[in-house]
Each structure stands twice: as C-alpha cells, then as structure tokens.
Amino acid sequence: MLTKLLLLSSFPLATIAESPCSVPLSTRTSWQEAVVSQTISSHSVTRGSLTFSPAGTISNPSGTYGGHVFPTQILATSTCDCLSGSTCTYAGPPPKFSNPSVEGPCINTYSAKSSSALVTIGCMPPSPVQYWSYQTNLFSTYTSENEVLFPEVSPLPTINHLTMGAEPGTPYVIVTTGDKDLADDITEALVNAGAPPQSIHLDGISHPSLKVDGQTPDVLEAVVRINNKDFPPDLTAYIEASPTEQLALFLDPIDPPTEVNLLPASPLRKRSVEPDPGAPDYSSSLDSLSSLISKKLASSGYVMSYSGEMPESMDFGYDDADTNACCIDGYMESDTYWHSMVHFSTSDCLYRAHGAYSDPSGIWNDGNLSFVGNTLSVDYDVIGEKADVQSYSTFSCSEDNEVLIGYSCDDQCSEDVCKVSPLSAIPYLEGCISIPSNDKLSVEFGCSDDGVAVERSFLGSDCTGIKISEKSVETCNNSTSHFEGELWAGGIAKDTTVSFVIGVRTNKLGYSSFHNVYLPDFSSYNDPDDQANFGEESLEGSAEQWGWEEDDDLFVAEFSRECTGDEKFCKEINVASGDTLIVMSRQYLDTRTLTGPDKDDIAPHRVLIFDKKQ
Ligand SMILES: *[C@@H]1O[C@H](CO)[C@@H](O)[C@H](O)[C@H]1NC(C)=O
Ligand SMILES: *[C@@H]1O[C@H](CO)[C@@H](O)[C@H](O)[C@H]1NC(C)=O
Ligand SMILES: *[C@@H]1O[C@H](CO)[C@@H](O)[C@H](O)[C@H]1NC(C)=O
C-alpha cells in the first residue's frame, strides 16, 4: 500500500521532468542520426544544440532568445577575426551585446553557403506560449574584403508557432539551407526515420538581399524567440533543458558544388489588414480616458504636464525594400533614432518607444540625449520651459574587473545610491581611446590589481607605448545638464512626476498574441526579478479605476515613484529627479496576418506625465 502511494505521488513529477516532449529524446536523436547518415559523404557534420538563455535575461522582459551552440566554432577563424575587429574595419557600429557570455560575433554564427545546412530537431514548449519563432538573421555583411557592417536584421520571414500550426510539446524540424536538393534529401531521411512530414519546415536562404557563397559570404545567425505573459515551471524547465533536449546539426559541404538548385526564401507575410469597420475609434477613446485620469489626479494637486504618442521604432519588415533601406544597405547616415537599437528585431513585432534616448553608437543626433515621441500637449506653466539639473557619476570595478560607470548618484556618490548605466554589460569605453586632439597620447580605462577603476595614459596612439600615468577615477564626478522643451517635458523625471502609459489591449482584440509595456531600468535590465514590466493580461481591468466603463479594450499602466492608482497596475520605479524616462512596448504577431501588427492599424499607445505645480 505504501509503495503504491509513493509511486502515485511521484508519477506526475517524473513525467514533467523526463518528457517535456511528446516524442522521446532517443527517437529525435535517431532522426538526427538518419540525417547524418544521409549527408556524411558530402558534408562535414557538427552536432550541437539550440540553447536558450534564462527568461528575462536578454534585454527582453517576458521573453528569451535561443541560439545554436556547437562544441567547436562554426565560423572560420579568419571571419571571426574580422568580426572581432582585428583584421577588418567596421562600416557601421558593431552590436552592443546585452549578454556577452551568450551573444558574440563568433557565437551562434555561420557563413552563408548555399549548400550548407543548419538542422534543428527540437520540440515546441510544453504548454501554449504567446509567441515562439525561428528566424534566420543577417548578422554581418562585408561591404568590401576587409570592411564589415552588422545589420542584425532579417529580410526573411519567421517560422512561428502559428505558421507551423504546431501543438505544444510536439517535435519540429527546421532545415535552413540554400540548396533545394539537400533540403529534399534531409526531408526524405527524416521521414524515413519516422519524423512526421508536417513537422518539417524549410527555411530557404536564397534571397536577393543575402550574399551567399563567394569569397566573402554574409554571416548568418538563427534567433529563436519565446515571449509569454509568464514563465511557469514547465516553461522554465523547457528552457533549462534546451542544451540537451533541442538538437542541432551543422552540415558543411566538403566540396561545395559549383551549381546549386537554389531553395528560395519564402516571401514576407503582409502586415496590413483591411480596416475592421466595426472597430471603435480608439483614438477618441484614449482622449476620453486621458481626461478621466486628469480629472481624478487633479483632486490630489496633479496637472498633466505632457501627453504624447509612442511612435513605432525598429520600423521595417513591411516589404523587402524597407529592410534594405533601413539596415542592409548601410546605416551611417541615420536620421532615425532607432537605427542603433536594431538588434535582432523582427518583423513579427511592432516595437514602440517614447522618452529620452541617446544613441550609444553616437550617430543619431551626435549621440546627444534627445527626445522620441509625438507630442500631443505640453503645459509649461506646471514644469517650466527649461531646467539645469545637477547629476553625479562614479566609476567602479566589477568582480570580473570590468569598469562600470554608475549614474543617478547622490552628491556623495554613495555606493547604494549610484545606479549602473546602460553600458553596464560591457566595460565602459572598452579598449584604447586615442585622443583626437593629440595623436601622441592615448588612454584606456581599466581596473588596477586591487580593483580600483583607473584611467591609464600612454605615449602614442594605441595604448602600447610608455605609460605616463595611472590615476584612480573613482571620484564623485559632477556635471550639470540643461534640459528644455519636449525633452524636459516628456523625457525627464521632475520632483513630483508620475507617469502613465495608456493604450489598446491588442491581445484581447486579436491584433497581437503577445503584448507588454515596460520601463527599462538599465540597472536591472537583465534581472528577471526586478523589471518594471506589464504583460497585457496583467492590466485587465486597469482602466476601470479611472472611470472608463465603455469597454474592457483599454489599459492604464502607471510607472511612478509613488503610485497614485491601484498598486496592482503600477510599478514603483527608482528614479531621481533629473533621470531620464523611457518606456517601451512590444506587440508580437497579429493573429490575422501571422506577422507583426501594422503600425497604422490601431491607435498608438500614449504617455501621460503629471506634475504638481511648483
Ligand atoms: C550635440 O551636442 C553638442 C554639444 O552640446 C552640440 O555642439 C551639437 O550640435 C549637438 N548635435 C546635435 C545633432 O544636436
Ligand atoms: C565626469 O563627467 C563628465 C560629464 O558627465 C564626463 O564627460 C567625464 O568623462 C567624467 N569624467 C570622469 C573622470 O569621471
Ligand atoms: C563638482 O566637482 C568639482 C570638481 O570636480 C568641485 O569643485 C565642486 O564642488 C563639485 N560640485 C558639487 C555641487 O558637488
């Protein structure tokens, strides 16, 4: 009796832990080995996995990315050296990795050869997720033999959970190749080994925007995304088990054939839809909702100092041409703020952002802090037209001896007050800086043996000459910033600021399958437990408290130092007066078009800022 009880109680646990997939790993491994047998005479074979990062750790709250990991580097060393900057120059800014231990120029990447193939034999997440997709990205392209550009976008459509029609927990195979005959051979081997034909998906890479084969082919990287309103234990276990459960093969031709029967890329899915004649006018609904919020806050002395719309960012993927225009043809002459933010964005997503932004690559507006947003109203009587704000910063060394810069410090630069900057994931001012006005001097930031952040100066322009000084930079550094106009009104926290994002619940209406709104606090950007992030579902009922009773189609998200509304729908944020405010939103996958929502299809989110009259 006792034994039986024990067995019963341990049974469900064992099932979850041992089979996240409806087809056992041993069976999927046999499919993989059938592909190996089929191709081994013509291709060298490397076995690896599709590995995910923990949810919320890669610049994407409520999401994660997976990439292909092989025990040996797939990219040729000469290409890798080029991408790392030792043998090539950069025609446009190289990516700033949000997590350099799992992302990098030579991790997950491979050269685009028609007759190579990347074969992923995986399993869908064990329970339904709001978004899952696989997309081959153009990581880098040569503009000449020794100059390289990093578009990090894809001219190819995704293969996503809706286009696949795959049930949770079922196996899938994705074959990325430019060679139709090879794709057919692999498919035949898989089917003969028992893989269900409907689970096999081809990802053709032959596309006019991709340079395949030749001396300097493009470098590609497949990005697999998962976004969901939450990450319950079974999904977390799926992510953790990915290095062993999600199989990958890289097949490299031993003798690349001169003639290849090309496998063309699928066309992009159209984002636009016929306007829904029955849809309410959400723009006027948002006007009314914003008046309701204003009225309610007026009773506690708040006045609306700013309102504006959240414009779309990373805005492409509507047709073949716009991806080229934005990114692949070069992005040095950028007048669009989001260019430097393009980092594996996908046309399955409509990204929006609003607030104060500075371009880390220094291209847009010379890297000056500037305003992003479509202003609807400003009340300068409340906040003044301009202000000088004193701020403090300090340098420090991380445990890994990387130099970090802390901002938002108090006037003593106390350790518990300073927040680490957006560049925390990479060393501050990495590498050697030659001083432009003095070609005989160069400096680098580093950490001394006892872990103090130092600035070292050298004779000569490459930090290899005689060291002329090494001084600590761990002092409390102050500076005054001047803000005015829209940047001041819509992008900077004042003493009394409370802020809101309001908008339409597009998941509820089927215009998206995943939707979140968040305020990226860059000090905890990659910390899943500490993010000011709302999934749309958690905002159900959030407009009601402000008196909106027409429908349940709208949401109100508050981001404030002290919540004015229901705490359930408010994230307390740790900003000082003078700190920048930026809010972002992601909307993945219109369920009608199976790609990203159309930016013109529905009224954009709005940002409302309230202050107390001084
Ligand atoms: C950026 O700021 C600098 C220094 O204030 C200024 O000289 C420059 O004109 C600004 N650039 C742009 C594009 O606003
Ligand atoms: C001090 O702050 C100024 C302005 O923010 C900055 O340009 C400078 O690099 C900082 N220097 C040090 C050593 O902290
Ligand atoms: C700012 O720094 C300078 C020296 O770098 C110092 O003389 C001054 O007192 C500081 N100001 C404030 C308000 O901390």
Side-chain angles (χ1 to χ4, degrees):
M1 189 62 198
L2 189 62
T3 323
K4 201 172 174 191
L5 267 178
L6 277 176
L7 273 176
L8 276 175
S9 63
S10 65
F11 180 70
L13 279 176
T15 333
I16 290 167
E18 282 166 24
S19 63
C21 189
S22 65
V23 168
L25 180 59
S26 56
T27 306
R28 284 177 286 130
T29 306
S30 72
W31 300 349
Q32 170 178 271
E33 292 316 306
V35 174
V36 172
S37 314
Q38 178 74 29
T39 53
I40 194 84
S41 59
S42 52
H43 289 75
S44 72
V45 175
T46 313
R47 292 172 183 81
S49 71
L50 167 67
T51 295
F52 287 98
S53 294
T57 60
I58 302 196
S59 59
N60 184 356
S62 318
T64 188
Y65 299 118
H68 291 88
V69 177
F70 292 96
T72 51
Q73 180 186 304
I74 294 296
L75 208 59
T77 305
S78 57
T79 312
C80 184
D81 288 346
C82 166
L83 301 185
S84 309
S86 50
T87 54
C88 285
T89 54
Y90 298 145
K96 284 198 160 49
F97 296 103
S98 50
N99 188 340
S101 60
V102 289
E103 291 180 279
C106 314
I107 309 175
N108 320 134
T109 49
Y110 61 97
S111 289
K113 279 184 225 155
S114 299
S115 51
S116 63
L118 179 60
V119 183
T120 310
I121 303 179
C123 213
M124 299 304 285
S127 47
V129 291
Q130 291 176 305
Y131 185 67
W132 184 101
S133 77
Y134 176 105
Q135 188 168 36
T136 297
N137 269 261
L138 173 54
F139 180 77
S140 66
T141 186
Y142 289 84
T143 56
S144 71
E145 203 175 308
N146 53 11
E147 192 183 66
V148 68
L149 175 75
F150 299 90
E152 290 179 280
V153 299
S154 185
L156 312 177
T158 69
I159 294 171
N160 66 48
H161 69 288
L162 293 185
T163 66
M164 291 161 91
E167 292 297 321
T170 59
Y172 71 84
V173 181
I174 295 176
V175 182
T176 295
T177 182
D179 183 337
K180 186 170 182 310
D181 298 336
L182 179 61
D184 289 346
D185 284 352
I186 293 171
T187 304
E188 191 187 309
L190 286 163
V191 172
N192 288 342
Q198 73 277 11
S199 70
I200 304 167
H201 306 272
L202 302 186
D203 178 33
I205 58 164
S206 168
H207 185 281
S209 300
L210 294 183
K211 279 186 277 176
V212 179
D213 300 323
Q215 282 299 313
T216 53
D218 289 341
V219 171
L220 306 181
E221 172 171 4
V223 177
V224 181
R225 293 179 167 81
I226 302 175
N227 279 278
N228 202 41
K229 58 190 170 200
D230 53 19
F231 282 80
D234 66 340
L235 188 51
T236 307
Y238 167 86
I239 289 168
E240 275 172 9
S242 57
T244 49
E245 282 285 332
Q246 313 288 325
L247 309 175
L249 282 178
F250 188 75
L251 311 175
D252 206 18
I254 297 165
D255 267 321
T258 42
E259 292 253 324
V260 176
N261 184 9
L262 292 174
L263 180 66
S266 301
L268 286 178
R269 294 180 288 278
K270 291 270 169 268
R271 290 174 83 153
S272 58
V273 283
E274 288 297 317
D276 174 359
D281 175 359
Y282 287 110
S283 182
S284 68
S285 298
L286 292 174
D287 288 345
S288 310
L289 177 57
S290 101
S291 307
L292 287 170
I293 298 172
S294 268
K295 263 189 217 136
K296 201 145 192 180
L297 282 181
S299 62
S300 6
Y302 285 103
V303 181
M304 186 150 78
S305 52
Y306 171 89
S307 72
E309 289 179 338
M310 252 169 115
E312 59 278 1
S313 52
M314 298 193 263
D315 183 23
F316 57 85
Y318 287 82
D319 56 43
D320 273 340
D322 64 6
T323 313
N324 286 344
C326 87
C327 311
I328 297 175
D329 293 343
Y331 49 3
M332 291 307 284
E333 288 168 36
S334 167
D335 58 0
T336 316
Y337 83 93
W338 48 262
H339 270 145
S340 72
M341 286 165 68
V342 172
H343 179 59
F344 298 128
S345 50
T346 170
S347 53
D348 274 2
C349 185
L350 174 58
Y351 303 85
R352 294 187 179 278
H354 181 286
Y357 177 71
S358 58
D359 178 354
S361 63
I363 296 172
W364 177 67
N365 276 342
D366 297 340
N368 296 348
L369 189 71
S370 309
F371 177 69
V372 173
N374 300 328
T375 302
L376 296 172
S377 71
V378 187
D379 186 345
Y380 288 118
D381 283 349
V382 181
I383 51 169
E385 278 180 24
K386 54 189 175 201
D388 287 324
V389 177
Q390 185 80 20
S391 57
Y392 300 86
S393 63
T394 189
F395 291 103
S396 60
C397 280
S398 72
E399 278 170 16
D400 308 330
N401 261 13
E402 280 180 335
V403 181
L404 306 176
I405 184 166
Y407 289 118
S408 301
C409 308
D410 64 3
D411 59 5
Q412 307 295 315
C413 289
S414 329
E415 215 173 280
D416 53 344
V417 179
C418 285
K419 289 191 293 179
V420 172
S421 82
L423 301 183
S424 62
I426 55 162
Y428 177 68
L429 296 177
E430 197 170 10
C432 181
I433 308 149
S434 57
I435 300 181
S437 57
N438 185 342
D439 62 6
K440 293 192 187 64
L441 276 186
S442 50
V443 299
E444 70 181 14
F445 287 83
C447 290
S448 69
D449 293 344
D450 39 4
V452 174
V454 293
E455 181 187 334
R456 303 184 181 104
S457 310
F458 300 86
L459 282 181
S461 59
D462 59 1
C463 299
T464 57
I466 294 167
K467 183 160 76 178
I468 47 177
S469 72
E470 172 165 321
K471 58 172 197 251
S472 164
V473 287
E474 285 190 12
T475 50
C476 193
N477 187 3
N478 67 67
S479 59
T480 306
S481 310
H482 178 79
F483 300 115
E484 58 182 51
E486 289 176 306
L487 173 61
W488 170 237
I492 305 294
K494 275 74 75 176
D495 289 341
T496 57
T497 294
V498 298
S499 65
F500 296 86
V501 177
I502 68 172
V504 180
R505 295 181 56 212
T506 49
N507 283 0
K508 182 195 169 231
L509 297 168
Y511 300 163
S512 59
S513 67
F514 170 85
H515 178 195
N516 70 344
V517 182
Y518 58 104
L519 183 141
D521 174 350
F522 290 106
S523 62
S524 57
Y525 204 39
N526 294 327
D527 177 355
D529 297 325
D530 190 15
Q531 286 165 339
N533 175 45
F534 290 105
E536 181 191 293
E537 287 69 23
S538 66
L539 293 169
E540 183 175 355
S542 57
E544 237 170 79
Q545 56 165 323
W546 303 98
W548 179 256
E549 281 160 1
E550 299 287 304
D551 52 43
D552 191 22
D553 294 352
L554 305 186
F555 71 84
V556 178
E558 182 175 0
F559 299 95
S560 292
R561 276 169 288 195
E562 279 178 47
C563 298
T564 60
D566 189 337
E567 287 184 6
K568 217 166 79 183
F569 307 122
C570 175
K571 296 287 177 195
E572 260 187 38
I573 52 168
N574 175 22
V575 294
S577 195
D579 276 1
T580 54
L581 290 174
I582 185 161
V583 281
M584 298 184 178
S585 159
R586 283 175 149 97
Q587 286 161 293
Y588 278 93
L589 209 55
D590 190 318
T591 56
R592 301 165 299 176
T593 57
L594 311 188
T595 186
D598 185 334
K599 62 188 172 200
D600 297 323
D601 196 35
I602 197 126
H605 301 356
R606 293 192 191 177
V607 172
L608 313 179
I609 296 179
F610 293 85
D611 284 282
K612 287 188 174 169
K613 202 159 176 171
Q614 297 305 302

